[in-house]
Amino acid sequence: MIAKLQCVVLDCADVVELSQFYQSLLGGVVNQPDPRWSLDDGWATLHSDGGFVLAFQRVDDYQPPWWLDPARPQQFHLDLGVKDLDQAQEDVLNMGAALLNEGDGKRSWRIFADPAGHPFCLVRD
């Protein structure tokens, strides 16, 4: 092993908005003091209850990925386990997510975009 993952960093236009969105979704603490990162108006972190860290980096002229468009690829996405897929969908839509693909009603996941346009999947546990 050469390295260990410290966090995943999401580019966005508004670090406060996106960190609060993911805090509502995953729990945890926004901008918890951590000597690994300097917090400012261009950088925020979310320390989840499970120990995972998401970071948010402000990018001037941010252009979100566009689902299934090779000109603006998704680059990565998060799969998030939920117990009740229908309830989780309602919750994330109320928090500002957008539904990208609901599927055929038979599969165990649905695809959304966060407020900055990053795709993520809610997956039935």
Side-chain angles (χ1 to χ4, degrees):
M1 180 173 91
I2 295 172
K4 107 179 157 170
L5 181 65
Q6 287 190 344
C7 71
V8 172
V9 181
L10 300 174
D11 289 350
C12 60
D14 186 333
V15 300
V16 172
E17 175 189 44
L18 202 55
S19 63
Q20 290 173 345
F21 172 84
Y22 278 103
Q23 180 185 39
S24 295
L25 183 59
L26 301 171
V29 177
V30 171
N31 290 339
Q32 174 178 306
D34 188 319
R36 295 176 290 181
W37 298 287
S38 174
L39 303 171
D40 58 32
D41 64 344
W43 183 268
T45 60
L46 174 65
H47 288 70
S48 74
D49 296 335
F52 185 74
V53 178
L54 281 175
F56 309 93
Q57 176 176 266
R58 186 177 58 77
V59 173
D60 292 331
D61 300 320
Y62 171 73
Q63 294 294 314
W66 201 257
W67 185 254
L68 298 180
D69 180 351
R72 288 173 44 195
Q74 65 174 321
Q75 300 163 4
F76 82 98
H77 71 270
L78 302 172
D79 283 349
L80 307 171
V82 299
K83 294 200 182 314
D84 183 329
L85 194 53
D86 292 328
Q87 183 61 54
Q89 174 173 321
E90 182 179 331
D91 293 342
V92 299
L93 292 175
N94 287 334
M95 291 166 29
L99 179 62
L100 297 178
N101 187 306
E102 193 167 28
D104 59 7
K106 297 177 185 172
R107 69 181 195 206
S108 63
W109 76 93
R110 296 178 190 155
I111 305 162
F112 301 85
D114 68 24
H118 304 108
F120 67 93
C121 295
L122 295 179
V123 182
R124 188 179 306 115
D125 274 342

